């Protein structure tokens, strides 16, 4: 029995190590939308924020909107226990939206946790925005984000995507990929309808605009842990049989 117990303890430690390693390797701040983000249209953007630290919680998040592609409309969905502030800035070049000249646009969105509230170790939270009109002269928007922990550490998720064939950067910025609008379609209405219908569904089921590989890493870790369990179990039984003089079944 002691042999079996020792095997179980080793298995447990190996499982914790595999899972924690997978989480650290894949826990990025990512951006996703409920459907294709159409150029010239509106969409809901969900920032998924995992906590990477085992001994501190996430207490603040700040998103920087690209000044070269200003968004005239940015509104936030309330998150219980968090305050949100949208700050505008003057535009170097005014833009026109719905027939009106826009001289300033949102530049940052900051979520700050109330006292006693945080994203705990091993957990994540999601923060939603409704944005538009999306630019028509680019295929993607980079959304640099800083994550502040209760320890005072600030992590900047601001690296641009890697070139094809290159390794992913350690701290990639969330990316919103844009698609061309269908011929003759009203991009505003199509995107708004997609964003509205998603309000009643799990935002995690939306089409990801960033790459969230956490599930794949955890799945692989599970297979490794399962294989280790079979090996330790078989070894423990054989050693137990030998020590008692009983033949193995």
């Amino acid at each position: 029995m002691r042999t079996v117990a020792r095997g179980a303890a080793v298995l447990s430690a190996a499982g914790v190590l595999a899972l924690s390693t997978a989480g650290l390797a894949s826990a990025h701040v990512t951006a996703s939308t409920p459907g294709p983000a159409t150029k010239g249209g509106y969409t809901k953007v969900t920032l998924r924020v995992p906590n990477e630290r085992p001994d501190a919680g996430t207490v603040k998040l700040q998103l920087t909107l690209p000044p070269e592609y200003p968004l005239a409309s940015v509104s936030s969905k309330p998150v219980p226990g968090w305050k949100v502030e949208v700050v505008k800035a003057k535009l170097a070049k005014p833009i026109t939206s719905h027939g009106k000249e826009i001289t300033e646009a949102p530049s940052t969105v900051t979520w700050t946790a109330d006292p006693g509230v945080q994203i705990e170790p091993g957990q994540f939270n999601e923060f939603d925005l409704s944005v538009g009109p999306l630019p028509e002269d680019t295929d993607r928007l980079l959304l640099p984000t800083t994550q502040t922990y209760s320890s005072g550490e600030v992590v900047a998720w601001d690296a641009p995507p890697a070139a094809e064939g290159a390794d992913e950067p350690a701290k990639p910025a969330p990316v919103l990929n844009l698609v061309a609008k269908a011929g003759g379609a009203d991009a505003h209405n199509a995107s708004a309808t997609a964003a509205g219908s998603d309000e009643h569904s799990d935002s995690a089921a939306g089409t990801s605009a960033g790459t969230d590989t956490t599930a794949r890493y955890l799945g692989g870790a599970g297979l490794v842990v399962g294989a280790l369990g079979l090996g330790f179990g078989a070894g423990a039984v054989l050693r137990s049989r030998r020590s008692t003089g009983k033949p193995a079944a």
Side-chain angles (χ1 to χ4, degrees), residues 149-178:
Y149 288 92
S150 56
S151 61
E153 179 187 8
V154 178
V155 178
W157 300 92
D158 57 2
E164 186 175 354
D167 293 335
E168 182 183 46
K171 303 296 179 184
V175 176
L176 181 62
N177 293 316
L178 307 180

Side-chain angles (χ1 to χ4, degrees), residues 41-129:
Y42 288 71
T43 190
K44 183 179 80 170
V45 178
T46 297
L47 287 180
R48 174 171 290 187
V49 183
N51 188 18
E52 288 190 313
R53 300 295 179 258
D55 55 357
T58 297
V59 295
K60 184 178 178 180
L61 188 74
Q62 185 174 75
L63 166 70
T64 299
L65 297 166
E68 66 272 29
Y69 302 112
L71 300 170
S73 174
V74 176
S75 59
S76 61
K77 182 177 180 180
V79 180
W82 293 75
K83 294 182 177 66
V84 61
E85 181 183 18
V86 179
V87 175
K88 294 185 176 182
K90 290 285 185 180
L91 297 177
K93 181 180 179 181
I95 61 174
T96 301
S97 178
H98 300 296
K100 294 182 179 180
E101 183 179 75
I102 306 297
T103 59
E104 63 176 14
S107 60
T108 62
V109 183
T110 304
W111 291 267
T112 305
D114 293 338
V117 175
Q118 62 180 6
I119 304 175
E120 300 285 351
Q123 298 182 357
F124 72 92
N125 206 344
E126 293 180 333
F127 302 84
D128 292 340
L129 294 172

